[in-house]
Amino acid sequence: AAGVIQSPRHLIKEKRETATLKCYPIPRHDTVYWYQQGPGQDPQFLISFYEKMQSDKGSIPDRFSAQQFSDYHSELNMSSLELGDSALYFCASSLERSGELFFGEGSRLTVL
Amino acid sequence: AQSVTQLGSHVSVSEGALVLLRCNYSSSVPPYLFWYVQYPNQGLQLLLKYTTGATLVKGINGFEAEFKKSETSFHLTKPSAHMSDAAEYFCAVWGGGSNYKLTFGKGTLLTVNP
């Protein structure tokens, strides 16, 4: 069965650079969620989209933005990167905000 | 607001022993509860979920959990631990109402000793 696809899987950036993470949800899923997991931490909710509109917003820094496109894929844009942004970024998708989230393998961002 | 408390950041058991990972939740609405497992450098895999109905839910890899409303608990158990069970386990609660997000506990690292 098709799963949530995230790209890139690994990304290395310098401080103050920008990065873009992409997420392709399971076919027919209309809701996408972004989570950030720091080393040894639990996943923290950043933001979600339902039917291409922002649904909920969590602890997402102002330097970050995200959107969901017409084909339901989503992109997380991160600017002015800081060392503390180094983390594993998960995308998850669900059908109609049902509560059953399917997670991708994550994108590991390292900021040097 | 919904929240989850996992008791014990690290649990160590012997192979073949009972696994018990504790989770208590706080929710203003009837909760949807989940357990996820994360192996090193991997994503989050759903073990099991409780939404409505039967309070004892069975998941993959021999795990099960029981929803106890009176105790606001959703503890994860497995009768006999296997070496391959060593991983990080996260309990999570779904927002519900107009709060459409999953909130995770801090996680419990399970170590299985031979």
Side-chain angles (χ1 to χ4, degrees):
Chain A
V4 177
I5 306 297
Q6 292 188 243
S7 68
R9 293 293 311 280
H10 301 274
L11 192 59
I12 299 175
K13 291 287 185 178
E14 300 279 343
K15 281 196 314 182
R16 292 180 288 277
E17 285 190 322
T18 62
T20 298
L21 306 181
K22 297 184 178 182
C23 170
Y24 297 87
I26 292 172
R28 295 190 300 280
H29 280 193
D30 50 17
T31 310
V32 168
Y33 311 80
W34 286 98
Y35 282 80
Q36 177 192 57
Q37 185 180 29
Q41 302 294 315
D42 55 298
Q44 293 292 315
F45 173 73
L46 292 178
I47 196 167
S48 63
F49 295 87
Y50 169 60
E51 281 293 344
K52 294 158 279 185
M53 299 286 289
Q54 182 179 306
S55 176
D56 287 76
K57 196 171 183 179
S59 51
I60 185 169
D62 292 340
R63 299 177 289 107
F64 292 10
S65 65
Q67 59 181 322
Q68 185 178 31
F69 294 86
S70 58
D71 63 351
Y72 295 100
H73 94 274
S74 178
E75 295 185 4
L76 178 66
N77 299 293
M78 300 174 284
S79 63
S80 302
L81 288 169
E82 303 174 354
L83 296 178
D85 296 329
S86 295
L88 195 54
Y89 290 82
F90 287 110
C91 172
S93 73
S94 72
L95 183 60
E96 296 178 351
R97 297 187 291 190
S98 64
E100 184 168 357
L101 274 61
F102 294 84
F103 283 83
E105 290 294 312
S107 293
R108 183 171 296 282
L109 171 66
T110 302
V111 182
L112 302 176
Chain B
Q2 285 70 26
S3 66
V4 168
T5 301
Q6 291 185 239
L7 302 175
S9 59
H10 188 194
V11 170
S12 183
V13 300
S14 298
E15 192 172 19
L18 171 72
V19 175
L20 171 60
L21 305 183
R22 301 177 187 273
C23 172
N24 288 89
Y25 70 90
S26 172
S27 177
S28 56
V29 298
Y32 287 6
L33 295 161
F34 304 82
W35 276 98
Y36 285 86
V37 60
Q38 185 177 32
Y39 297 98
N41 298 313
Q42 292 191 25
L44 294 159
Q45 182 181 10
L46 180 65
L47 271 180
L48 48 78
K49 63 180 180 181
Y50 168 79
T51 54
T52 59
T55 57
L56 180 63
V57 293
K58 296 184 184 298
I60 61 172
N61 302 338
F63 284 93
E64 63 182 36
E66 186 172 11
F67 170 65
K68 292 187 176 181
K69 183 179 179 181
S70 61
E71 299 177 8
T72 61
S73 68
F74 190 57
H75 302 330
L76 181 70
T77 60
K78 181 175 181 178
S80 177
H82 191 272
M83 296 295 289
S84 61
D85 294 327
E88 186 89 28
Y89 291 80
F90 291 97
C91 182
V93 61
W94 173 249
S98 60
N99 184 5
Y100 300 101
K101 67 177 183 180
L102 202 59
T103 300
F104 288 87
K106 295 296 184 184
T108 298
L109 179 64
L110 176 66
T111 302
V112 182
N113 303 306

